[in-house]
């Protein structure tokens, strides 16, 4: 007998070593997530993937699937809370979607659409953050960073480098790059690195590729993030 | 500098696990961590510079830009405030001609705030270059200012400034227990290791750090792990505001604590232990090292302990100003030379702790109790206390009472008895268990201290009726926002939002929906945060809102909606420029305000 968990009553098989997220995605059940991508070691920090397991809130992308778990995913309470967590990410940074090159392709925006987020709910922080446009081919707009560490992990785990890191504590957290000058141009980042392509928001952008796809024809202009996510990630979670 | 850094790296065998120790030496010498030092260390330790920078920027006691040659920090605990901290800080700023949070132009002195330094029984307290200052008052400040301006080295400062008293007012089972060095190890060897674990089990001892996990069970799990390289860690981070009993235990019951660690090591099969000492207790460091050395010489530490082939040694690691490092997995990260960010669990430390090896983390008091139990047996301990909470609890009592200090009570003691003993009158309420615990009102003094009623790591802060509860709540809420590690969204952003939302209400800008919004936010932070810090950060608001809803509602404006934008506030600059403050220079937010 293979082992199973249930998610919102639906029976989901899993193998030892899989997280709740792995099992769910492999079975075609979407759990909202931002800091997680199946290729990288799970981080568990954005907390968008929070599910309720046997009465306790757990982080689906890091919590192991265990035989017989009863998982709640799409309850109104969890949906509301995930929306508020998304709103927290919006107010913490400076996210001006209409003027952002990533609009329509942004996962933060995609998740917000999915959760039916219609306002910021919380007061905006308006933090003073910088743009690093020093590199000839890649730029960082710190205003849009949500500290998911995907670029940190991609650089370490796929590119075999150490270009990015998260520094600071609490609300002063920020992305730093590995150069004596502190500038992206002095790192060993290459535009073909995976780290350049993994940012869920518009914080890391590749120069001179902007607006090639017109606004209105972009990913989340037409599809919900759950469909997109399952289509691109489902097979990877099965691995 | 090159040679200095080279030397530090060599002394630490180029081990990046010792990064905090190395940074501490650099900070000590240069009063910041210079860029060049980071570059050089990165090469010597073969780690990316970003790893070093992220550690420097995480801990409060490390700085990327120069602090004063004398770095003066004043404790921001609520108890320090109750003893006049604010005025004292302003006074220091004035006499030293330095702005709070900044360095004086000549670079000689900097002044700032520190989270609770663990001296609540003898505040207002502070730190100068890491060393604890106690009982600060105006004359002491004058003296300090003079010493700084004369550039007197700290060793020449009068010792009264640094005097730290134990203030033990009530001793019980543990604090009264006579002790002979090595007695617990002897008893364990005579009884047998398995039988000693059975005694710890039979004692019913539960962890004293707050969570109350059964100690014997933790040790047993660890001893059964397949990996044989295992570690013992004594958690002396004691960062919960209002807690200072571990400071006293380390000062006056040192041997018993180390011996408890050795007993644990024998039971779980560990050869290496660590004492993670909060940076604020730097004053204890040399004494602790001396006692370790003495134990080595007496054959109680090192190789072949007591001639029975046990090998075990203890290393002291100093923290650097981060409350989160009291959380056991963050503590382990810190021991490994990293920022103190709590790990994902499972795996728990007992299976994958320090360097991924099975590790037991226990509180100072837990090890002290283990020593007593190893000597006297489990029944000795279990015969005292309640059904679910065996033994005694050592409390740190501070705030409005005649005799703040250390009190040991059997579990099950009522709050009223404690208040009588420490001389507290006209009491409004008590914060039990520190900011992460519970606020109880004066209607609840028959409640009992025990895991099944009022659980506590030992912090017990008393407020009399002259105090404003919202000042306290505000202080605690700021504390959590300051100490949030920032890893997870609900706590990183949530604690910052709690600060804003609370201020909005306390400052009288709140309207009808704002208390509800505050409570919703509290629940979100509590239910979704990654670790105990975020999960308890809203407790000060939640526990007082439950008891004193009117207190919050009385601060609200009589309008149903308060705009996020303060019209009148926005005109302040214009008024200042125009040098006007007449009625015409003010704008009302609502029609009713005009009337
Ligand atoms: C934010 C936070 C801070 C903590 N601080 C301490 C501390 O200073 N000392 C301590 O012993 N335990 C502290 N703990 C509890 C530890 O994680 C751990 O449970 C404890 O050290 C285990 O020891 P015990 O079983 O002997 O209590 C803290 C927990 C959290 C979540
Ligand atoms: S709850 Fe707070 S302290 Fe704990 S991991 Fe999250 S951000 Fe860090
Ligand atoms: S996706 Fe699981 S915490 Fe971010």
């Amino acid at each position: 007998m293979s082992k199973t968990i249930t998610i919102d009553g639906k029976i989901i098989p899993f193998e030892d070593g899989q997280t709740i997220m792995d099992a769910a995605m492999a079975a075609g059940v979407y759990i909202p997530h931002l800091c997680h991508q199946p290729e990288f070691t799970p981080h568990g920090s954005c907390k968008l993937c929070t599910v309720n397991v046997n009465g306790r809130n757990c982080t689906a992308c890091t919590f192991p699937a265990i035989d017989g778990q009863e998982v709640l995913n799409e309850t109104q309470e969890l949906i509301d809370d995930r929306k508020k967590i998304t709103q927290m990410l919006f107010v913490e940074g400076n996210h001006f979607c209409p003027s952002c090159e990533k609009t329509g392709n942004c996962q933060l925006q995609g998740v917000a659409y999915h959760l039916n987020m219609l306002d910021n709910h919380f007061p905006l922080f308006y933090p003073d953050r910088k743009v690093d446009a020093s590199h000839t081919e890649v730029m960082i707009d710190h205003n849009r960073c949500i500290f998911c560490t995907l670029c940190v992990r991609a650089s370490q785990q796929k590119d075999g480098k150490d270009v990015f890191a998260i520094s600071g504590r609490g609300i002063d957290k920020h992305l730093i790059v590995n150069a004596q000058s502190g500038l992206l141009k002095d790192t060993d980042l290459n535009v073909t690195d995976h780290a350049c392509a993994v940012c869920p928001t518009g914080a890391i952008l590749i120069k001179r590729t902007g607006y090639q796809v017109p606004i209105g024809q972009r990913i989340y202009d037409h599809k919900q993030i759950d469909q997109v996510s399952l289509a691109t990630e489902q097979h990877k979670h099965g691995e | 500098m090159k040679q200095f850094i080279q030397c530090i790296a060599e002394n630490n065998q180029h081990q990046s696990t010792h990064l905090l120790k190395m940074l501490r030496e650099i900070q000590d010498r240069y009063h910041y961590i210079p860029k060049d030092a980071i570059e050089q260390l990165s090469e010597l330790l073969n780690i990316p510079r970003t790893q070093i920078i992220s550690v420097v920027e995480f801990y409060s006691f490390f700085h990327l830009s120069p602090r004063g040659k004398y770095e003066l920090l004043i404790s921001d605990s609520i108890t320090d405030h109750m003893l006049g901290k604010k005025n004292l800080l302003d006074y220091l700023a004035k006499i030293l001609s330095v702005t709070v949070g900044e360095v004086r132009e000549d670079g000689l002195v900097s002044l700032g705030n520190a989270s609770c330094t663990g001296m609540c029984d003898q505040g207002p307290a502070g730190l100068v270059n890491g060393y604890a200052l106690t009982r600060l008052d105006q004359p002491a400040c004058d003296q300090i200012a003079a010493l700084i301006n004369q550039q007197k080295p700290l060793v020449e400062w009068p010792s009264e400034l640094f005097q730290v008293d134990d203030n033990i007012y009530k001793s019980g089972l543990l604090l009264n227990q006579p002790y002979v060095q090595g007695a617990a190890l002897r008893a364990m060897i005579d009884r047998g290791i398995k039988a000693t674990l059975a005694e710890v089990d039979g004692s019913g001892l539960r962890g004293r750090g707050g969570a109350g996990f059964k100690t014997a069970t933790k040790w047993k799990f660890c001893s059964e792990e397949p990996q044989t390289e295992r570690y013992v860690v004594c958690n002396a981070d004691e960062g919960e505001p209002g807690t200072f009993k571990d400071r006293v235990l380390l000062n006056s019951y040192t041997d018993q604590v180390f011996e408890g660690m050795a007993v644990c090591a024998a039971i779980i099969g560990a050869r290496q232990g660590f004492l993670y000492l909060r940076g604020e207790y730097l004053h204890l460091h040399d004494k602790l090292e001396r006692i370790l050395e003495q134990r080595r010489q007496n054959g109680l530490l090192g190789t072949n302990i007591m001639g029975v082939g046990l090998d075990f040694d203890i290393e002291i690691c100093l923290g650097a100003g981060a409350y989160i490092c009291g959380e056991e997995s963050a503590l382990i990260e810190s021991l490994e030379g990293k920022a103190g960010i709590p790990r994902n669990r499972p795996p728990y430390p007992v299976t994958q702790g320090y360097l991924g090896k099975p590790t037991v983390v226990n509180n100072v008091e837990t090890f002290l109790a283990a020593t007593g139990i190893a000597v006297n047996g489990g029944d000795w301990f279990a015969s005292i206390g309640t059904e679910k909470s065996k033994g005694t609890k050592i409390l740190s009592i501070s705030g409005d009472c005649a005799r703040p200090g250390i009190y040991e009570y059997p579990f099950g003691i009522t709050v009223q008895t404690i208040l009588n003993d420490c001389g507290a009158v006209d009491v409004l309420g008590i914060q039990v268990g520190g900011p992460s615990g519970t606020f109880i009102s004066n209607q609840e003094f028959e409640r009992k201290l025990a895991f099944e009623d009022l659980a506590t790591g030992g912090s017990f802060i008393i407020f009399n009726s002259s105090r404003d509860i919202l000042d306290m709540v505000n202080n605690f809420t700021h504390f959590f926002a300051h100490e949030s590690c920032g890893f997870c969204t609900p706590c990183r952003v949530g604690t910052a939002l709690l600060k804003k939302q609370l201020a909005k209400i306390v400052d009288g800008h709140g309207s009808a929906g704002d208390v509800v919004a505050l409570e919703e936010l509290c629940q979100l932070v509590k239910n979704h945060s990654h670790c105990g810090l975020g999960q308890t950060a809203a407790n000060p608001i939640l526990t007082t809102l439950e008891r004193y809803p009117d207190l919050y509602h009385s601060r609200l404006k009589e309008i149903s909606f308060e705009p996020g934008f303060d019209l009148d506030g926005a005109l302040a600059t214009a008024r200042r420029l125009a040098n006007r403050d007449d009625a015409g220079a003010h704008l009302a937010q609502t029609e009713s305000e005009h009337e």
Side-chain angles (χ1 to χ4, degrees):
Chain A
M1 267 292 285
S2 70
K3 298 179 178 176
T4 60
I5 59 175
T6 65
I7 299 183
D8 296 332
K10 187 175 162 196
I11 296 172
I12 311 275
F14 73 94
E15 281 155 35
D16 278 335
Q18 282 191 315
T19 60
I20 293 174
M21 177 73 78
D22 291 330
M25 292 289 285
V29 174
Y30 173 74
I31 301 175
H33 54 277
L34 275 173
C35 73
H36 181 65
Q37 284 295 322
E39 299 100 298
F40 308 113
T41 316
H43 193 238
S45 61
C46 75
K47 299 299 175 200
L48 219 65
C49 69
T50 306
V51 289
N52 190 288
V53 182
N54 302 336
R56 251 182 68 205
N57 281 345
C58 288
T59 308
C61 69
T62 60
F63 206 80
I66 301 169
D67 203 18
Q69 276 167 338
E70 288 177 24
V71 179
L72 299 179
N73 176 30
E74 299 246 274
T75 68
Q76 195 53 49
E77 196 181 342
L78 281 170
I79 293 170
D80 288 348
D81 285 356
R82 287 174 186 151
K83 180 161 84 182
K84 285 192 201 131
I85 292 171
T86 310
Q87 287 164 325
M88 283 182 167
L89 288 171
F90 268 93
V91 299
E92 173 189 31
N94 297 308
H95 298 277
F96 306 114
C97 300
S99 66
C100 177
E101 200 288 321
K102 199 67 177 264
T103 191
N105 290 331
C106 171
Q107 289 174 31
L108 180 63
Q109 205 183 29
V111 157
Y113 289 149
H114 179 75
L115 297 167
N116 195 28
M117 176 185 139
L118 300 173
D119 63 3
N120 284 322
H121 185 68
F122 301 115
L124 288 153
F125 285 54
Y126 297 118
D128 190 9
R129 297 200 197 153
K130 303 225 155 19
V131 174
D132 179 350
S134 62
H135 195 281
T136 49
E137 291 164 294
V138 185
M139 63 173 277
I140 306 178
D141 186 341
H142 290 280
N143 292 292
R144 303 165 185 162
C145 178
I146 58 169
F147 318 117
C148 66
T149 75
L150 278 166
C151 60
V152 179
R153 286 175 280 162
S155 182
Q156 287 169 346
Q157 296 170 16
K158 276 229 165 145
D159 303 329
K161 301 181 184 180
D162 237 317
V163 175
F164 299 99
I166 300 284
S167 189
R169 186 167 94 190
I171 201 71
D172 297 327
K173 246 185 171 45
H174 55 274
L175 184 69
I176 57 172
V177 299
N178 192 4
Q180 193 168 357
S181 64
L183 293 174
L184 196 60
K185 73 174 167 61
D186 297 318
T187 66
D188 55 356
L189 183 80
N190 198 296
V191 66
T192 55
D193 286 355
H194 288 90
C196 300
V198 76
C199 180
T201 76
I204 299 177
L205 291 174
I206 296 175
K207 292 182 177 176
R208 287 177 292 279
T209 60
Y211 299 100
Q212 285 177 354
V213 180
I215 292 171
Q217 295 173 27
R218 297 175 168 203
I219 305 171
Y220 307 113
D221 293 338
H222 298 282
K223 290 187 185 139
Q224 282 274 325
I225 195 165
D226 54 343
Q227 297 169 279
V228 178
S229 179
L230 285 169
T232 54
E233 296 165 23
Q234 183 170 8
H235 63 284
K236 294 182 192 158
H237 277 278
E239 280 162 14
Chain B
M1 177 157 86
K2 264 216 143 70
Q3 199 169 3
F4 177 70
I5 307 279
Q6 177 98 30
C7 214
I8 291 179
E10 271 165 27
N11 290 343
N12 288 287
Q13 293 86 44
H14 297 86
Q15 293 291 319
S16 63
T17 44
H18 286 163
L19 185 59
L20 264 74
K21 192 165 166 232
M22 297 182 240
L23 291 174
R24 183 170 263 291
E25 289 177 44
I26 298 170
Q27 173 78 37
D28 257 5
R29 170 127 174 191
Y30 300 103
H31 312 293
Y32 76 118
I33 312 290
K35 257 194 164 160
D36 291 345
I38 294 174
E39 290 302 314
Q40 200 187 339
L41 262 189
S42 144
E43 265 175 40
L44 288 168
L45 307 183
N46 197 20
I47 53 174
R49 57 170 78 71
T50 43
Q51 192 176 329
I52 304 175
I53 296 170
S54 64
V55 168
V56 173
E57 291 197 303
F58 187 85
Y59 294 93
S60 297
F61 295 166
F62 298 143
H63 301 276
L64 286 179
S65 58
R67 308 305 297 160
K69 201 169 150 213
Y70 292 89
E71 186 178 6
L72 203 51
L73 298 173
I74 306 301
S75 175
D76 201 34
S77 175
I78 186 70
T79 55
D80 294 296
H81 277 275
M82 290 156 72
L83 293 164
K85 178 248 157 115
K86 172 88 179 49
N87 287 340
L88 216 57
L89 185 67
D90 292 344
Y91 183 70
L92 273 169
K94 195 180 100 201
I95 59 175
L96 283 165
S97 320
V98 58
T99 314
V100 178
E102 288 179 22
V103 188
R104 197 164 80 184
E105 221 161 89
D106 63 1
L108 189 61
V109 58
S110 55
L111 182 63
N113 289 299
S115 290
C116 176
T117 59
M119 298 289 166
C120 307
D121 55 336
Q122 43 206 305
L127 296 167
V128 59
N129 293 354
Y131 287 95
L133 296 163
T134 54
R135 287 179 220 82
L136 293 171
D137 52 14
Q138 280 210 6
C141 290
D142 290 332
Q143 201 177 6
I144 289 170
L147 290 162
I148 289 176
N149 286 330
Q150 293 156 19
Q151 305 203 33
K152 271 258 177 1
L154 285 195
V155 287
E156 291 174 31
W157 287 28
S159 60
E160 307 89 76
L161 289 170
F162 303 103
Q163 189 184 326
V164 178
D165 294 332
D166 279 355
N167 294 327
I168 299 176
Y169 286 104
K170 193 165 180 355
S171 309
L173 193 68
L174 297 175
L175 298 180
N176 273 332
Q177 177 64 20
Y179 168 78
V180 185
Q181 221 187 31
L185 284 167
R186 181 80 270 150
M188 178 185 67
I189 292 162
D190 292 345
R191 191 191 288 116
I193 284 177
K194 276 230 160 73
T196 303
L197 178 60
E199 292 297 332
V200 179
D201 189 30
S203 76
L205 175 63
R206 293 169 67 171
R208 270 26 183 174
F213 195 80
K214 208 172 163 200
T215 305
T217 310
K218 193 188 272 186
W219 293 9
K220 184 162 169 288
F221 283 161
C222 189
S223 71
E224 290 168 353
E225 278 299 313
Q227 295 197 76
T228 53
E229 187 184 329
R230 301 175 192 144
Y231 295 94
V232 179
V233 177
C234 176
N235 187 343
D237 195 53
E238 192 160 64
E240 188 76 33
T243 318
F244 46 85
K245 47 110 189 158
D246 293 342
R247 180 197 86 213
V248 175
L249 299 182
L250 290 170
N251 187 44
S252 298
Y253 295 78
T254 329
D255 261 292
Q256 288 98 312
V257 175
F258 287 147
E259 196 148 328
M261 291 176 71
V263 168
C264 172
I267 289 174
I268 68 165
R271 295 161 56 94
Q272 179 66 51
F274 297 99
L275 176 79
Y276 188 87
L277 183 68
R278 69 184 308 216
E280 292 80 349
Y281 291 169
L282 177 63
H283 69 283
L284 289 171
H285 181 264
D286 291 354
K287 177 174 180 179
L288 293 169
E289 286 287 8
R290 271 200 309 280
I291 293 177
L292 282 181
E293 192 47 42
Q294 202 186 56
R295 292 184 70 83
R296 283 183 200 111
Q297 278 169 13
N298 294 346
L300 299 170
L301 216 53
T303 50
N304 196 20
I305 291 172
M306 297 192 98
V308 295
L310 278 177
D311 296 344
F312 178 64
D313 213 324
I314 297 172
E315 182 181 331
I316 300 173
C317 297
L318 275 161
Y323 165 64
I324 188 59
C325 289
E327 194 285 332
E328 56 185 10
S329 65
L331 185 155
I332 290 170
E333 288 282 302
S334 185
L335 277 180
E336 293 180 358
K338 300 185 245 168
I341 294 171
R343 294 177 177 175
N344 285 302
R345 283 163 300 173
Y348 290 88
V350 283
T351 47
Q352 285 182 37
Y354 182 67
L355 303 179
K357 308 290 185 216
T359 303
V360 160
V361 181
N362 275 127
N363 177 252
V364 176
E365 188 183 342
T366 310
F367 285 119
L368 172 76
T371 295
I373 292 162
V375 175
N376 302 293
D379 288 344
W380 167 78
F381 195 77
S383 64
I384 284 184
T386 71
E387 176 69 31
K388 288 192 177 130
S389 317
K390 303 293 186 197
T392 59
K393 183 76 196 85
I394 300 171
L395 301 180
S396 319
I397 298 187
S398 63
D400 295 314
C401 67
R403 293 173 294 280
I406 300 296
Y407 294 73
E408 182 182 6
Y409 287 105
F411 267 123
I413 190 84
T414 65
V415 170
Q416 187 60 57
T417 317
I418 301 171
L419 292 175
N420 296 346
D421 288 351
C422 68
V425 289
D426 190 22
V427 179
L428 176 69
I430 305 159
Q431 186 70 29
V432 181
S436 70
T438 308
F439 187 87
I440 60 164
S441 80
N442 50 19
Q443 303 304 303
E444 303 169 69
F445 291 169
E446 288 313 313
R447 291 183 68 179
K448 296 180 167 63
L449 290 198
F451 291 107
E452 59 270 31
D453 186 0
L454 283 169
T456 173
S459 174
F460 194 95
I461 310 174
I462 303 166
F463 297 85
N464 69 23
S465 57
S466 75
R467 307 295 177 184
D468 182 347
I469 291 175
L470 289 178
D471 282 347
M472 174 201 81
V473 174
N474 191 45
N475 176 273
F476 292 167
T477 303
H478 276 251
F479 167 76
F480 286 118
H482 184 258
E483 297 298 333
S484 164
C485 85
F487 170 78
C488 68
T489 315
C491 172
R492 181 183 68 243
V493 188
T495 54
L497 284 169
L498 281 175
K499 232 167 62 170
K500 286 180 199 261
Q501 183 68 8
L502 183 69
K504 185 177 180 191
I505 295 171
V506 172
D507 297 345
H509 297 297
S511 51
D514 274 316
V515 175
V516 179
L518 178 68
E519 193 169 358
E520 266 177 24
L521 180 58
C522 286
Q523 294 299 345
L524 192 70
V525 176
K526 187 184 175 94
N527 295 333
H528 291 278
S529 288
H530 179 70
C531 83
L533 190 152
Q535 289 157 11
T536 59
N539 282 359
I541 299 174
L542 285 170
T543 60
T544 53
L545 191 56
E546 185 189 339
R547 286 166 177 81
Y548 309 96
D550 295 347
L551 196 64
Y552 286 83
H553 285 108
S554 68
R555 303 273 180 129
L556 298 180
K557 282 193 175 172
E558 294 279 313
I559 50 172
S560 60
F561 163 74
E562 166 80 5
F565 185 76
D566 178 357
L567 275 176
D568 192 52
L571 282 178
T573 319
R575 275 195 297 272
R576 198 159 32 82
L577 290 174
N579 206 10
R580 272 182 63 179
D581 200 21
D582 55 293
H586 286 272
L587 261 184
Q589 197 86 39
T590 61
E591 285 304 314
S592 62
E593 269 180 52
H594 265 313
E595 287 153 17

